Amino acid sequence: MDETDVLVVGAGPVGLTAAAELRRHGVGCRIVDRLATPQHYAKAVGVQPRTMEVWDAMGMVGAALDEAVPMRGQLLYSDGQPGPRIELALPPDVPYAFAALPQYTTERLLTEHLAGWGTHVERGTELVSLEQDTDHVRAALRGPSGPRELRARYVVGCDGAHSLVRKAAGLRFEGDAFPEQYMLGDVEVDWDLPAGYGIRAVHHDADGKVDDLLVCIPLPGRGRYRMSMTVPDELSRAGSGDGVEHGLEGGRAPELRHIQAVLDRLSPRPAHASALRWSSAFRISHRLVDRYRAGRLFVAGDAAHIHPPTGAQGMNTGVQDAYNLAWKLALAVRGIPADGLLDSYHAERYPVGAEVVGRTVRHARAGVPADAESDSDDLETILRREAQLLVGYPDSPLVEQAEGADAGTGGPAPGDRAPDCRGLERELASYPSRLFDLLRSPRHTLLFHVDPGAAGEQVTTCAVAALSAAHGLLDVYAVLAPGAPQPQWRLPFLRDGAGEFAAAYAARPGEAFLIRPDGYLAGRFHPPTPERLAGCLRRTFGVG
């Protein structure tokens, strides 16, 4: 029987991310997909700035930047009249902007990235069944050469809304479906609207309810958009009855005339549609799995949560599911996880999935294109939330909660995303570095903010204790405040010449920051002690 450390089921963006990250962390994995060839559909299109940061850490953001187009904002129209113009402009501390990229391109880039690690998708290979015991999972597969079995230590189900992994794990997937039916089309239009802006046009009936809808997301290419709209009566049909009505449907592809009819009713400018690349009818459900883990089986992406496409949250949330899980599985495969490390996947990602499902459902029902839930939220907060930069794990069992002098000091709190900063200087480089340059490591990172009066012996003692607790899987740096002398101890260092690190982290003299492989702050320590640093790391790493 073939064996592997981790079997990934499903080669969409989520499964490919999981496989690529497992390989980057040194874990053997296999990835299978029942489709013989990738689908050439622009299903998920929006790429959030946080996903770009993930791709940066993975080492593939350059390829994505080459292929994507900017999402500059959204133009709103209601009953033929222009509404607010939303500008998707983030502050300069965020390194990447909102982008649009067809899902088939995202999958191609991830597939090529995965191949760089020597792993290829086993296409035309379907998962038939799973059986798990205390040590392994036995997977029955059916592929081009017939049935076979594979034994894996863990299985990650990234196999979509109808996930067999989820069903085999006995997980509940509760929720409901929207009664409306929609259609998608990848077309070109000849209007004179500004490039890079999404279009949302609605019509209301006499009771003020939306009875007609057009949403257009820009794609690479001149005048090219992915358009979604309600289906005409001739394409409407009853549900399939399989319990989960979600995603693209076969057998009733809209034609160019159907799309043109909606444009004639709702387009804010006269527009002629052409070059229809693909089209499909689709339905929307909202469901959330009750657990993200059952023994050695895990679910991610649409296998764990489905919801309306409002705000382009789905694929991006799934990518972060995979990014959160992969480094934890890597430690489990190495045999050095703390008790409860794998359970932290559910503890951290379930609340994120629940929030995204709830928010997108509310917005879909209310026709709200951006999060305006709280009158106290300013535009920057709203955009950061949509960009998924505010996702955090403050209640995670892996996070060292701030107490006493560490609480309420400004800057990121334990469990928050670790922000980037620029202007870091290295002795042998004539150009400045970003903090994210250091965080591309698959290990934890420990940063000491060193002021002119720092005690080198204390820093060294803390670093040694932290390295021991992390089984050596830790990168340690000193970030020198302006005016701090070059340290005499043997520790890599950078100089915070522009003071951006101190500002971004509200760093106090002598403070230490522990950052996880997925770019979240595990703890901040002022003053750091060997015992506190080791104690925080033992939440993740087993003793041994």
Side-chain angles (χ1 to χ4, degrees):
M1 185 185 300
D2 288 346
E3 294 190 359
T4 190
D5 290 328
V6 181
L7 170 64
V8 178
V9 182
V14 179
L16 290 165
T17 299
E21 279 298 277
L22 288 166
R23 296 296 295 119
R24 187 168 75 98
H25 284 273
V27 174
C29 78
R30 303 269 291 274
I31 177 170
V32 300
D33 194 283
R34 63 180 181 82
L35 297 177
T37 58
Q39 291 182 320
H40 200 70
Y41 300 152
K43 294 186 290 184
V45 172
V47 178
Q48 303 294 356
R50 178 57 187 159
T51 297
M52 286 289 192
E53 292 182 353
V54 169
W55 288 348
D56 184 331
M58 292 173 62
M60 58 164 284
V61 74
L65 294 174
D66 289 343
E67 300 274 3
V69 294
M71 271 290 295
R72 304 185 189 280
Q74 189 173 50
L75 306 179
L76 306 178
Y77 298 86
S78 178
D79 300 322
Q81 299 301 312
R85 176 172 174 147
I86 299 173
E87 300 289 343
L88 298 178
L90 289 163
D93 66 286
V94 180
Y96 299 105
F98 294 90
L101 189 66
Q103 182 171 327
Y104 59 80
T105 303
T106 297
E107 291 177 0
R108 173 175 58 80
L109 297 179
L110 284 164
T111 299
E112 293 169 355
H113 180 71
L114 176 61
W117 294 104
T119 299
H120 302 272
V121 178
E122 299 174 39
R123 291 210 161 268
T125 300
E126 183 177 8
L127 175 67
V128 178
S129 65
L130 291 170
E131 294 181 8
Q132 65 170 320
D133 56 33
T134 56
D135 298 318
H136 290 88
V137 181
R138 185 188 299 265
L141 304 172
R142 182 169 52 239
S145 59
R148 69 180 191 271
E149 289 192 344
L150 175 69
R151 191 166 74 164
R153 296 177 66 178
Y154 302 98
V155 173
V156 182
C158 308
D159 46 344
H162 304 276
S163 169
L164 195 151
V165 175
R166 183 185 67 239
K167 295 171 184 174
L171 303 177
R172 298 194 305 274
F173 199 42
E174 297 179 346
D176 203 351
F178 284 84
E180 298 85 3
Q181 300 178 51
Y182 301 91
M183 59 184 182
L184 283 176
D186 180 343
V187 299
E188 295 177 12
V189 288
D190 58 359
W191 58 32
D192 61 352
L193 293 171
Y197 284 81
I199 310 298
R200 180 185 175 91
V202 298
H203 181 272
H204 297 86
D205 63 17
D207 296 325
K209 296 181 180 179
V210 173
D211 63 358
D212 209 356
L213 170 72
L214 171 66
V215 177
C216 309
I217 305 298
L219 294 171
R222 183 178 177 84
R224 184 182 170 202
Y225 292 82
R226 191 206 67 185
M227 297 188 175
S228 58
M229 56 210 79
T230 53
V231 299
D233 291 341
E234 65 182 283
L235 294 177
S236 180
R237 73 178 187 188
S240 64
D242 68 349
V244 179
E245 302 289 345
H246 192 79
L248 304 184
E249 298 180 354
R252 50 173 185 146
E255 301 174 13
L256 196 58
R257 63 183 177 88
H258 296 118
I259 295 171
Q260 184 64 54
V262 179
L263 287 171
D264 292 343
R265 296 194 305 269
L266 292 178
S267 174
R269 299 280 197 280
H272 174 71
S274 61
L276 177 62
R277 288 171 170 82
W278 69 271
S279 64
S280 176
F282 73 101
R283 293 174 179 267
I284 298 172
S285 289
H286 52 95
R287 293 178 181 270
L288 180 66
V289 75
D290 62 322
R291 290 174 292 144
Y292 279 43
R293 178 195 183 192
R296 294 180 174 271
L297 307 180
F298 300 82
V299 289
D302 282 0
H305 43 77
I306 55 176
H307 49 80
T310 311
Q313 300 293 296
M315 181 196 75
N316 296 275
T317 300
V319 165
Q320 291 188 59
D321 289 343
Y323 192 57
N324 179 287
L325 177 60
W327 68 270
K328 298 171 182 178
L329 283 175
L331 292 182
V333 168
R334 286 174 179 262
I336 54 173
D339 292 341
L341 175 63
L342 294 183
D343 286 333
S344 74
Y345 173 58
H346 171 83
E348 293 180 350
R349 295 304 299 173
Y350 177 86
V352 175
E355 191 277 332
V356 169
V357 171
R359 173 158 48 96
T360 55
V361 167
R362 289 192 298 272
H363 292 176
R365 286 175 172 160
V368 180
D371 194 349
E373 304 253 327
S374 172
D375 293 337
S376 64
D377 285 346
D378 57 24
L379 180 59
E380 180 179 325
T381 300
I382 292 169
L383 291 179
R384 285 181 182 269
R385 183 178 297 116
E386 293 296 312
Q388 300 195 338
L389 300 172
L390 300 185
V391 171
Y393 313 123
D395 299 320
S396 168
L398 307 185
V399 168
E400 181 83 5
Q401 300 297 331
E403 298 178 357
D406 289 340
T409 57
D416 286 352
R417 159 187 168 269
D420 194 16
C421 63
R422 297 164 293 184
L424 299 177
E425 303 165 0
R426 306 197 76 161
E427 252 194 327
L428 300 180
S430 59
Y431 55 87
S433 297
R434 297 166 51 205
L435 182 61
F436 277 11
D437 294 337
L438 306 183
L439 302 186
R440 294 192 186 101
S441 165
R443 297 175 288 275
H444 280 66
T445 301
L446 179 60
L447 305 174
F448 291 96
H449 186 236
V450 177
D451 67 314
E457 182 178 346
Q458 176 68 5
V459 171
T460 301
T461 302
C462 287
V464 169
L467 280 163
S468 176
H471 298 259
L473 300 176
L474 178 70
D475 296 325
V476 185
Y477 296 92
V479 180
L480 307 185
Q486 179 174 325
Q488 300 302 308
W489 61 86
R490 295 176 59 85
L491 192 67
F493 67 92
L494 302 91
R495 190 172 296 279
D496 186 21
E500 286 197 21
F501 175 81
Y505 284 78
R508 294 163 292 181
E511 190 166 14
F513 300 85
L514 180 63
I515 302 173
R516 306 182 340 175
D518 58 356
Y520 285 86
L521 195 63
R524 54 188 300 174
F525 309 89
H526 184 260
T529 66
E531 295 76 17
R532 290 187 67 198
L533 287 167
C536 180
L537 284 161
R538 289 194 189 105
R539 295 171 179 263
T540 296
F541 296 89
V543 179

